[in-house]
Amino acid sequence: YLAGVTNWPAENPPPPQGVVVKLLDSQGNGLAGATAQYYAGGWQAIPGSTDANGTLVTGIPASSGNLTFRMSYANASKEVAQNVTTNPIVVFQTTNVTVQLLDSGNNLMPDGAGTGAVQYYAGGWRDFGTTANGVARKELLPLTYSFSMSYANARQEKGGQNVASNTPVTFQTANVTVELRDSDAALMPDSAGTGAVQYYAGGWRDFGTTANGQVSKELLALTYSFSMSYANARQEKGGQNVASNTPVTFQTQNVIVELRDSDAALMPDSAGTGSVQYYAGGWRDFGTTANGVARKELLPLTYSFSMSYANARQEKGGQNVASNTPVTFMTTNVTVELRDSGGNLIPDGAGMGVVQYYAGGWRDFGTTAGGQVSKQLLPLTYSFSMSYANARQEKGGQNVVSTP
């Protein structure tokens, strides 16, 4: 130093006469805002924080010998022991930590497929940053941290990675395929209807819609619940680990609905067809019987069914088609009689009666032969009418199940 110089120019101040701690980034540039301590019978705070050049003047004499220093930055702390008598400048340097989000093909995840939000653990979960085309970077002290990746509403953690020796930190998604197969295990063609898929990650999230029975999405390799909506019904599957167990498969049941007569024979088309519905958020068309049978692929759940036949409608509630099929509706052989005052069936020679029943309106039942006429009807309550000798009489509310 120049003897006697006391007024040092501001742009070139004198070097400090004590210990200096510095925090540099991975490129050797100073990092501001870090705090430091030194150990002398306990941890002693050094006033202030590092300046724009990463420098903090401690005020500790350079003749203090061996000391331990602690630098705190970005919620983490690192310690260094140094003989400040031989070297009064104590340097800490961060590592440029890279966190990657790769897809199942080992490609960096493009922003078009979604970004990932990264955190690291330092006394609590701290924000690291958001991926840009699959990469996020941050300067951290060279320590061991846990990391987390939030992507597509799910969150995965990695514990205990030493960024001083092991970087990048890599998270990788799995290509998850969800299938919709029919009762023969064939993928469901679009002509039979598509399925809308969701997965649970803090709430039900859209996964996609099947195309010929399949839909795929990149997800973090975790355990999820899935749902399939098909034919207005929804089935859930809980707890499938997509890292080790894929595809996620939903399979429909070939549900058979039968219309049988009072003798338990399938109803031939010549006796009339039945129109079937099932309940899934509302009454949905199932189909029309062909010789007493209608079929439809449905998710294996519990449904209510209805049969419309001969202008009347009967419902059956709560049948689990996964374990209980077919769904059977059976008619009752209803007989309407015309008897005289002596209780005898009216012979045709004394005139025939024309019978109707009420089902949304008055419907033709038939004409008596020997005082009787019969018809297969769903086992419900009906009103009847008899027209005889140009007069008409009605009977209301007869349950043909108990009084056929």
Side-chain angles (χ1 to χ4, degrees), residues 20-85:
V20 173
V21 292
K22 295 180 69 69
L23 178 62
L24 305 178
D25 68 15
S26 56
Q27 302 299 311
N29 303 306
L31 288 171
T35 60
Q37 294 174 298
Y38 70 100
Y39 194 87
W43 286 105
Q44 311 296 321
I46 299 171
S49 60
T50 57
D51 61 18
N53 296 316
T55 301
L56 176 61
V57 178
T58 69
I60 300 170
S63 59
S64 299
N66 291 312
L67 289 175
T68 298
F69 294 85
R70 176 186 287 166
M71 178 67 72
S72 296
Y73 177 72
N75 299 107
S77 297
K78 183 175 175 60
E79 296 174 10
V80 167
Q82 185 168 315
N83 187 333
V84 296
T85 300

Side-chain angles (χ1 to χ4, degrees), residues 7-8 49 120 157 236 319:
N7 296 318
W8 291 87
S49 60
Y120 67 103
E157 296 180 9
E236 296 180 8
Q319 186 156 334

Side-chain angles (χ1 to χ4, degrees), residues 35-350:
T35 60
Q37 294 174 298
Y38 70 100
Y39 194 87
W43 286 105
Q44 311 296 321
I46 299 171
S49 60
T50 57
D51 61 18
N53 296 316
T55 301
L56 176 61
V57 178
T58 69
I60 300 170
S63 59
S64 299
N66 291 312
L67 289 175
T68 298
F69 294 85
R70 176 186 287 166
M71 178 67 72
S72 296
Y73 177 72
N75 299 107
S77 297
K78 183 175 175 60
E79 296 174 10
V80 167
Q82 185 168 315
N83 187 333
V84 296
T85 300
T86 56
N87 183 3
I89 300 176
V90 182
V91 178
F92 293 83
Q93 189 164 17
T94 59
T95 295
N96 191 310
V97 181
T98 301
V99 178
Q100 296 179 336
L101 177 59
L102 302 180
D103 65 18
S104 56
N106 291 317
N107 305 301
L108 288 169
M109 189 72 72
D111 290 349
T115 59
V118 184
Q119 291 186 310
Y120 67 103
Y121 195 89
W125 286 104
R126 314 293 179 175
D127 289 337
F128 184 96
T130 303
T131 61
N133 289 316
V135 176
R137 294 182 173 88
K138 187 176 180 69
E139 294 283 334
L140 291 178
L141 291 169
L143 301 166
T144 296
Y145 302 87
S146 294
F147 293 86
S148 75
M149 174 69 73
S150 295
Y151 176 74
N153 299 110
R155 183 174 182 276
Q156 184 180 15
E157 296 180 9
K158 283 183 175 283
Q161 186 157 335
N162 186 334
V163 298
S165 58
N166 187 6
T167 189
V169 180
T170 301
F171 292 84
Q172 187 163 15
T173 59
N175 190 328
V176 183
T177 299
V178 178
E179 299 180 334
L180 177 60
R181 294 184 177 268
D182 64 20
S183 54
D184 293 323
L187 289 169
M188 190 72 74
D190 290 349
S191 59
T194 58
V197 182
Q198 291 186 310
Y199 67 104
Y200 195 90
W204 286 103
R205 314 292 179 175
D206 289 337
F207 187 96
T209 302
T210 60
N212 289 316
Q214 289 185 319
V215 58
S216 297
K217 185 177 179 70
E218 295 283 330
L219 291 179
L220 291 171
L222 300 167
T223 296
Y224 302 86
S225 295
F226 294 86
S227 74
M228 175 70 72
S229 295
Y230 175 73
N232 299 110
R234 183 174 182 275
Q235 183 184 12
E236 296 180 8
K237 283 182 175 282
Q240 186 156 337
N241 185 331
V242 299
S244 58
N245 186 6
T246 189
V248 180
T249 300
F250 292 83
Q251 187 165 4
T252 58
Q253 177 82 25
N254 191 326
V255 182
I256 298 173
V257 178
E258 299 178 333
L259 177 60
R260 294 182 177 269
D261 64 20
S262 55
D263 294 322
L266 288 170
M267 190 72 73
D269 290 349
S270 59
T273 59
S275 178
V276 183
Q277 290 186 310
Y278 67 104
Y279 194 90
W283 286 104
R284 314 291 179 175
D285 289 337
F286 185 97
T288 302
T289 61
N291 289 316
V293 176
R295 294 181 172 86
K296 186 175 181 70
E297 295 281 332
L298 291 179
L299 291 170
L301 302 167
T302 296
Y303 302 88
S304 295
F305 293 87
S306 74
M307 176 68 72
S308 295
Y309 175 73
N311 298 111
R313 184 173 181 275
Q314 183 185 10
E315 296 180 8
K316 283 182 176 283
Q319 186 156 334
N320 186 331
V321 299
S323 57
N324 187 7
T325 188
V327 180
T328 301
F329 292 83
M330 186 176 294
T331 59
T332 297
N333 189 11
V334 183
T335 300
V336 178
E337 298 178 336
L338 178 60
R339 293 181 179 267
D340 64 19
S341 57
N344 304 303
L345 290 169
I346 298 282
D348 293 350

Side-chain angles (χ1 to χ4, degrees), residues 360-379:
W362 286 104
R363 313 291 178 177
D364 289 338
F365 188 95
T367 303
T368 61
Q372 289 183 320
V373 60
S374 296
K375 185 176 180 68
Q376 297 283 330
L377 290 179
L378 290 170

